[in-house]
Amino acid sequence: MKQITVDPITRLEGHGKIEIFLNDEGEVHQAYLQVPELRGFEKFSEGRPAEEMPRITTMICGVCPTAHHMAATKALDDLWKVEPTSTAKKIRRLMYNAFQAEDHLLHFFFLGGPDFIVGPTAPAAERNILGVVGKVGTEAAGKVIEARKRLRNVLRIIGGKPVMPTCGLPGGVSKAITEDERKTLIEAGEYAVDFCQFALKAFDDIVLNNKEYVDLITGNTFTHRTYYMGLVDENNKVDFYDGMIRVVDPNGKEFAKFKPQDYLDHVREHVEPWSYVKFCYLKDVGWNGFTDGENSGVYRVAPLARLNAADGMPTPLAQEYYNKMYETLGGKPVHHTLAYHWARLIEALSASEQVLDLARDPELTSDATINLPTATPKEGVGVVEAPRGTLFHHYQTDEKGILTNVNLIVATTNNAAPINMSIEKAARSLIHNGEVNDGLLNMVEMGFRAYDPCHACATHNLPGETPLEVTVRDSQGNEIRKLTRNLG
Amino acid sequence: MNQFEPKILGFCCNWCSYAGADLAGTSRMQQVPNVRIIRVMCSGRVDPTFIIKAFEAGADGVLIAGCHPGDCHYIGGNYKTIRRISLLHNMLEQLGIEKERLRLEWVSASEGAKFAGIVNNFTERLKELGASPVKAQ
Amino acid sequence: MAKPKVAFYWNASCGGCEETVIDLNEDILKVADAVDIVLWPVALDFKRKDIEALADGEIAVSFINGSIRLEEQENMVKLLTQKSGLVVAFGACAHIGGIPGLGNFWNRETIFERAYKGVPSVENPEGTLPQERTTVDGCDLTLSEFYDTVKTLNQTIDVDYYLPGCPPPPDLVMNAVNAILQGDLPEKGAVLAPAKALCDTCPRRDSKPEKISISEVKRPWEIKMDPETCFLVQGVICLGPATRSGCGETCIRANMPCRGCFGPVDGVADQGARALSAIASILGLEGEENMSEEETQKLVDQIVDPAGTFYRFGLPASLLRRKKM
Ligand code: SF4
Ligand code: SF4
Ligand code: SF4
Ligand code: FES
């Protein structure tokens, strides 16, 4: 049996490694994305006072600390059964949307963007942020940096520091917003709304007007028929911060809709001995291995999944782009993995529109930032939509609020099985008779970059390149062929 | 098999307890030889770092002895000690070191017998508890 | 003249330390101009053998973030030390263990039991646990060994300098880089941040009287915290007295108390012991002579998680390093 190792040496809570095994005929037998990293947050949070969780779980991920911060803060609301003040909810929402927009934009331009903007067939050396700058011009590149800077400044104003925010408390937030600060927030919102429209327009020009790219998006290599999950508001519109969890089946029909507190009736995790990461599936369908279709409990989360699971966007501009995406790709749901990038930009626009709306609300500067809890804590669940998917925090405490049990299902765990499937599918389409096509690296990368999993090092992959090394070995472990991706 | 002989580090304040310990020594009271004494100016000067360091260095028990409440030479040194030690008790317990391995006692200059009794009793208790878990690792 | 070679590497890290490098914004280009980056796994391709091929000491400086939890991490940092002139422990995790260091309240077995069998969402009737070696359908798969105890970087290799913080703020990073480029470095082992305690630079220090007495400990959700008064005066535990300054008091400015990510000030062997000492001395200071033993105990018990509070970021670097179990 031949073995191919793809060692990206990048992160999902650390590093990730891909192993592809061929059978005697030289066809793909099995592919594994291994995650050799674990830190044990679920265990070591035990014994800590629950209110510290927004400042502990942020360190799960420095790329999406705000998502953990917010899921934890909401779990505290639920734990102490306290309703945040109206101002606090607005401040939190604003912060959360600014984070969502910033993270999506960065991912799109620095990581996923190069695949499209520079072109999927462009030489590897150009498929990075520098290539993007070459294609869209330095002025536009400057805007990307400016938009990110402004949105991160919003996070700093509200949460103290952009990496590792600290403001979340049960029933509210720690700090009020001043009128001066509110002006800065409005400006950031305006800039972001403009910029996202510009980005979507660039996507139109560069991607949608190019038949080759569209064919690639809709091609079979990057398509999986799965269930989809996402938070929705009372009108079934996409909501990043709050709402009910909705699941649609591969035909787009509502399969389940439930309160975050009821997640255990619907979500399960499967363990494999070859990875430190667990694999989520729908309890009512069951675990049927790494397969798609109605009979497999595998579901997907994150931008495209959220759009599939909802009936629309909560903001007017984003709604237009939402309609256009589904018209172009032939109605709902869309199963094409590469359409995640498109959905990501639509979401960034919607998040920016919400930042602006909320920033314009004068109530934001009210001093009523917190309702102090009075109930005895016992159990709480907090769910938000992280940029990379639905994020669950579930705490149980003693009557003093000291944690006794903690469960965390992080966004990428929901997508762990589909990511494996996408890698395997890319491998199957490109490896035949033991011949490893040179496009393998490209395809594997494009496949998992679309999900924006943490282990593709998402936002901080500066040149937009996932280092990969593929080694093909025979059954004796002798090296037959080696493919590497260098940046030179 | 050798019987386990616990090692105790004692911090005695200069003004009362050290004299008490001294008295216990000079008057040849029955006292087990398990304790090593360090003289400090006041029980309030015993930094928690010293205590933790003692455990880290292999002590099975640590004894802090100071003047009776109200009698501290520096007025309130021993009140601070009370709070430090009870907070330290809570913290050490979380780190797997039993509360009983750290004792705070009041011994005046004339209480030589009391001091000897404390050491004997502490030694007995530590024998029951066994070697410090720090050593086991 | 050839540009100095620089490496960035990460261990059990969250990526936030990498993010802070990106937050240098324009300055990152200056850095990229002045040095030759030979290793940066988040951003540049690299292979272990490329590093192996370098001469010993050829890398001028390696910035290493994250604590050490896996065998693979230990191996890599050992290789890097051999190839590097200077090693800088970057961020709280590398410096003092960081939040993942709270794992030292447990061990490998308890962490695995919880994550793969204990949590309510897991369905694992066979009790499968990740294995260092497995064979699935004749395919051999390996995972790096997971250690019982989280270690700091200097418990693994020889470290020359430390950049504290979770994550270190961009200005300290820039200062450090400039100091290295100009060869203007303090004594080996120095922490590249101000030596003062956070209280000395805190915007609230004027509201802190000479003598504070806490008669009731307040958890941050129990009162509406005043945005201008010292937290300790409000009864809220703040680690400012036992923590190094240099962070820009970011948490305090967001109206939340310090949790100590910058680690201890110079000369302090155990951050938690120092913090405990500072807090214990002001607990019920007023009227201390009239407090009964029970009253004292009750007040002390109001600090609900002393070890997890005083060693929030620094358990692996503490004298005891971990819970004994
Ligand atoms: S120090 Fe903080 S930001 Fe850096 S890796 Fe550790 S947890 Fe992340
Ligand atoms: S204790 Fe905290 S709030 Fe008070 S002065 Fe020190 S750092 Fe500032
Ligand atoms: S205030 Fe304390 S916890 Fe916050 S960044 Fe500064 S040193 Fe770290
Ligand atoms: S002088 Fe004896 S306890 Fe203070």
Side-chain angles (χ1 to χ4, degrees):
Chain A
M1 194 175 291
K2 282 178 186 164
Q3 179 178 352
I4 302 168
T5 305
V6 180
D7 203 343
I9 323 198
T10 63
R11 61 186 302 279
L12 179 152
E13 285 204 342
H15 315 320
K17 180 168 91 176
I18 298 168
E19 298 272 359
I20 301 168
F21 292 91
L22 308 186
N23 60 19
D24 292 340
E25 287 75 50
E27 301 294 308
V28 172
H29 168 60
Q30 194 55 268
Y32 303 92
L33 169 67
Q34 293 184 278
V35 179
E37 179 72 283
L38 169 80
R39 281 168 299 152
F41 276 80
E42 284 157 329
K43 189 68 197 173
F44 67 61
S45 304
E46 284 175 22
R48 312 282 83 80
E51 69 270 19
E52 299 293 323
M53 288 302 264
R55 301 179 74 181
I56 289 177
T57 57
T58 33
M59 284 70 170
I60 291 174
C61 178
V63 182
C64 59
T66 314
H68 286 284
H69 187 71
M70 211 53 90
T73 304
K74 288 182 65 202
L76 298 183
D77 294 342
D78 191 36
L79 179 69
W80 269 284
K81 305 292 176 246
V82 59
E83 182 75 14
T85 64
S86 156
T87 300
K89 278 193 220 168
K90 285 176 180 166
I91 293 174
R92 287 190 196 167
R93 255 189 201 277
L94 194 158
M95 179 191 201
Y96 202 62
N97 278 291
F99 157 67
Q100 189 80 249
E102 176 252 329
D103 193 289
H104 274 359
L105 285 179
L106 203 67
H107 174 268
F108 183 83
F109 283 95
F110 282 67
L111 189 71
D115 288 338
F116 284 112
I117 298 175
V118 186
T121 51
E126 284 167 27
R127 292 176 61 218
N128 56 42
I129 184 67
L130 303 174
V132 173
V133 174
K135 192 96 175 218
V136 297
T138 22
E139 198 195 329
K143 282 188 187 169
V144 182
I145 293 171
E146 182 65 23
R148 174 175 186 271
K149 222 169 150 179
R150 286 177 184 241
L151 288 167
R152 280 178 85 75
N153 193 35
V154 171
L155 302 182
R156 193 187 54 71
I157 288 172
I158 300 176
K161 40 184 178 177
V163 186
M164 310 317 175
T166 54
C167 61
L169 286 167
V173 290
S174 59
K175 172 183 169 288
I177 306 287
T178 65
E179 268 304 321
D180 267 1
E181 288 172 334
R182 191 164 78 90
K183 284 202 196 85
T184 313
L185 304 182
I186 294 175
E187 284 163 22
E190 285 169 348
Y191 196 93
V193 170
D194 278 355
F195 180 74
C196 289
Q197 292 183 87
F198 163 83
L200 276 155
K201 171 119 197 344
F203 188 78
D204 257 21
D205 293 346
I206 297 170
V207 180
L208 300 181
N209 289 335
N210 187 329
K211 187 170 176 310
E212 202 189 325
Y213 291 4
V214 176
D215 287 349
L216 187 74
I217 292 177
T218 54
N220 180 50
T221 309
F222 292 108
T223 300
H224 285 284
R225 293 187 75 249
T226 62
Y227 290 80
Y228 297 96
M229 178 186 284
L231 277 177
V232 292
D233 67 14
E234 60 284 357
N235 301 314
N236 281 342
K237 301 288 165 82
V238 170
D239 195 329
F240 303 125
Y241 171 76
D242 204 10
M244 300 273 278
I245 297 164
R246 196 179 192 213
V247 180
V248 297
D249 70 15
N251 301 310
K253 234 180 83 230
E254 181 174 299
F255 175 79
K257 190 174 169 182
F258 54 92
K259 292 207 300 271
Q261 285 74 5
D262 296 333
Y263 81 102
L264 285 174
D265 295 337
H266 301 273
V267 178
R268 280 290 176 274
E269 295 173 286
H270 168 81
V271 181
E272 289 283 344
W274 43 267
S275 182
Y276 286 129
V277 86
K278 295 176 277 190
F279 302 91
C280 285
Y281 62 96
L282 294 166
K283 178 178 174 246
D284 287 341
V285 187
W287 175 254
N288 287 312
F290 296 88
T291 54
D292 48 346
E294 281 84 347
N295 297 328
S296 165
V298 170
Y299 62 90
R300 290 195 274 181
V301 295
L304 180 65
R306 284 192 282 259
L307 268 51
N308 278 338
D311 291 343
M313 305 306 292
T315 52
L317 293 174
Q319 180 63 38
E320 283 172 33
Y321 286 97
Y322 171 97
N323 293 341
K324 180 170 177 194
M325 183 183 93
Y326 284 108
E327 271 162 37
T328 312
L329 296 177
K332 288 181 75 179
V334 164
H335 295 297
H336 311 304
T337 309
L338 295 184
Y340 266 87
H341 293 301
W342 195 349
R344 186 166 289 121
L345 280 183
I346 297 170
E347 286 195 340
L349 174 58
S350 181
S352 304
E353 288 181 85
Q354 293 179 63
V355 168
L356 184 55
D357 269 1
L358 288 158
R360 283 183 173 149
D361 187 340
E363 194 200 324
L364 209 63
T365 54
S366 148
D367 185 42
T369 50
I370 193 160
N371 279 329
L372 297 181
T374 50
T376 304
K378 188 161 182 254
E379 183 160 12
V381 174
V383 172
V384 293
E385 284 296 333
R388 295 155 196 83
T390 319
L391 169 64
F392 301 79
H393 279 215
H394 178 190
Y395 312 152
Q396 285 170 324
T397 68
D398 67 11
E399 72 287 352
K400 281 183 162 169
I402 306 301
L403 292 158
T404 52
N405 280 305
V406 173
N407 192 20
L408 307 167
I409 301 180
V410 303
T412 300
T413 313
N414 295 286
N415 266 341
I419 293 169
N420 256 274
M421 287 152 55
S422 291
I423 288 163
E424 189 179 328
K425 200 159 181 181
R428 280 189 200 285
S429 73
L430 291 154
I431 302 176
H432 294 292
N433 304 318
E435 285 295 312
V436 180
N437 185 309
D438 283 322
L440 179 69
L441 288 169
N442 254 348
M443 295 302 219
V444 164
E445 261 187 88
M446 286 184 70
F448 80 50
R449 269 217 289 246
Y451 292 95
D452 181 18
C454 249
H455 49 96
C457 48
T459 53
H460 42 284
N461 193 313
L462 190 62
E465 196 60 57
T466 305
L468 290 175
E469 182 172 316
V470 179
T471 313
V472 185
R473 293 175 200 280
D474 64 18
S475 51
Q476 269 73 49
N478 302 316
E479 184 177 312
I480 303 173
R481 176 113 191 252
K482 183 169 243 159
L483 297 171
T484 54
R485 153 118 333 130
N486 276 305
L487 276 170
Chain B
M1 212 178 80
N2 280 345
Q3 224 226 319
F4 163 62
E5 286 298 340
K7 280 200 228 108
I8 299 172
L9 192 66
F11 292 95
C12 293
C13 101
N14 182 46
W15 303 97
C16 298
S17 339
Y18 191 77
D22 210 33
L23 184 65
T26 49
S27 51
R28 316 234 159 134
M29 291 177 196
Q30 279 288 321
Q31 186 190 316
V32 291
N34 300 58
V35 63
R36 243 178 259 162
I37 290 173
I38 294 178
R39 172 157 48 162
V40 290
M41 290 313 280
C42 170
S43 71
R45 297 282 167 88
V46 182
D47 191 302
T49 310
F50 303 164
I51 300 169
I52 294 176
K53 183 90 199 153
F55 283 116
E56 194 235 355
D60 298 295
V62 176
L63 172 66
I64 320 288
C67 316
H68 285 268
D71 294 345
C72 169
H73 204 78
Y74 303 94
I75 322 291
N78 49 9
Y79 294 120
K80 191 159 81 180
T81 311
I82 300 177
R83 303 191 300 265
R84 262 190 200 158
I85 299 300
S86 54
L87 190 50
L88 200 51
H89 271 149
N90 288 0
M91 184 165 100
L92 288 175
E93 186 102 333
Q94 282 184 293
L95 292 167
I97 297 173
E98 303 91 331
K99 279 187 184 178
E100 290 165 281
R101 293 189 187 273
L102 171 60
R103 273 202 194 182
L104 173 62
E105 299 285 353
W106 310 129
V107 181
S108 75
S110 59
E111 294 176 317
K114 181 176 179 191
F115 187 83
I118 287 168
V119 171
N120 291 347
N121 176 286
F122 196 13
T123 306
E124 273 319 300
R125 186 62 199 117
L126 287 171
K127 280 186 180 168
E128 284 162 33
L129 276 175
S132 157
V134 181
K135 282 196 234 165
Q137 255 177 16
Chain C
M1 203 184 87
K3 293 190 208 170
K5 290 190 170 65
V6 169
F8 293 94
Y9 193 69
W10 55 15
N11 297 302
S13 138
C14 79
C17 278
E18 309 282 335
E19 197 82 31
T20 215
V21 175
I22 311 269
D23 276 340
L24 292 174
N25 291 322
E26 300 80 36
D27 282 346
I28 183 102
L29 299 175
K30 287 186 211 147
V31 176
D33 256 4
V35 304
D36 177 11
I37 300 175
V38 291
L39 165 64
W40 194 7
V42 293
L44 302 168
D45 188 13
F46 105 98
K47 286 174 283 306
R48 193 187 154 95
K49 68 173 172 39
D50 297 338
I51 302 299
E52 277 163 359
L54 295 173
D56 286 1
E58 191 174 337
I59 301 172
V61 50
S62 283
F63 293 93
I64 304 181
N65 72 64
S67 47
I68 307 290
R69 175 110 243 186
L70 298 174
E71 186 191 4
E72 163 189 288
Q73 293 158 349
E74 176 150 1
N75 295 340
M76 189 63 201
V77 297
K78 285 191 169 147
L79 175 64
L80 275 174
T81 335
Q82 188 194 327
K83 303 294 177 184
S84 307
L86 292 176
V87 170
V88 177
F90 190 104
C93 292
H95 175 209
I96 52 177
I99 292 286
L102 290 170
N104 286 359
F105 280 111
W106 306 96
N107 56 15
R108 174 195 149 101
E109 190 190 329
T110 49
I111 288 172
F112 274 31
E113 281 292 314
R114 178 67 194 162
Y116 302 109
K117 295 183 191 170
V119 297
S121 49
V122 90
E123 195 72 54
N124 189 3
E126 267 136 50
T128 305
L129 292 177
Q131 302 295 323
E132 277 158 45
R133 293 186 174 281
T134 23
T135 306
V136 189
D137 282 343
C139 314
D140 291 327
L141 293 158
T142 58
L143 288 172
S144 184
E145 182 190 342
F146 184 93
Y147 292 153
D148 259 340
T149 301
V150 174
K151 291 191 283 186
T152 67
L153 197 60
N154 77 2
Q155 289 163 359
T156 315
I157 56 172
D158 188 32
V159 171
D160 297 287
Y161 297 104
Y162 303 84
L163 258 169
C166 177
D171 60 326
L172 289 188
V173 176
M174 259 339 268
N175 288 350
V177 170
N178 286 332
I180 291 166
L181 289 178
Q182 289 153 16
D184 178 19
L185 280 160
E187 222 178 294
K188 179 175 162 152
V191 177
L192 305 175
K196 287 183 176 165
L198 188 64
C199 285
D200 295 331
T201 59
C202 176
R204 303 188 184 195
R205 63 190 251 258
D206 292 342
S207 66
K208 191 177 167 196
E210 193 69 21
K211 209 169 151 186
I212 305 178
S213 171
I214 298 182
S215 57
E216 213 183 332
V217 177
K218 297 287 185 191
R219 285 162 67 183
W221 51 269
E222 287 180 311
I223 52 165
K224 185 168 175 182
M225 294 181 288
D226 182 88
E228 260 133 44
T229 312
C230 167
F231 286 105
L232 291 175
V233 174
Q234 304 183 60
V236 175
I237 301 300
C238 177
L239 261 47
T243 301
R244 184 186 293 274
S245 60
C247 66
E249 304 85 30
T250 40
C251 303
I252 313 255
R253 289 174 202 277
N255 200 19
M256 288 294 268
C258 174
R259 287 295 175 255
C261 77
F262 258 58
V265 293
D266 281 341
V268 169
D270 193 292
Q271 186 186 13
R274 167 55 71 92
L276 180 143
S277 180
I279 300 297
S281 58
I282 60 172
L283 267 186
L285 180 60
E286 208 156 281
E288 56 181 359
E289 58 293 339
N290 300 318
M291 259 214 276
S292 70
E293 231 171 82
E294 290 82 62
E295 281 166 341
T296 309
Q297 192 63 45
K298 238 175 103 188
L299 188 54
V300 162
D301 287 347
Q302 285 176 1
I303 298 175
V304 285
D305 173 26
T309 304
F310 301 139
Y311 294 118
R312 174 65 50 81
F313 285 88
L315 185 55
S318 71
L319 287 169
L320 293 172
R321 293 193 180 191
R322 62 165 295 117
K323 179 182 169 147
K324 307 299 164 187
M325 51 199 297

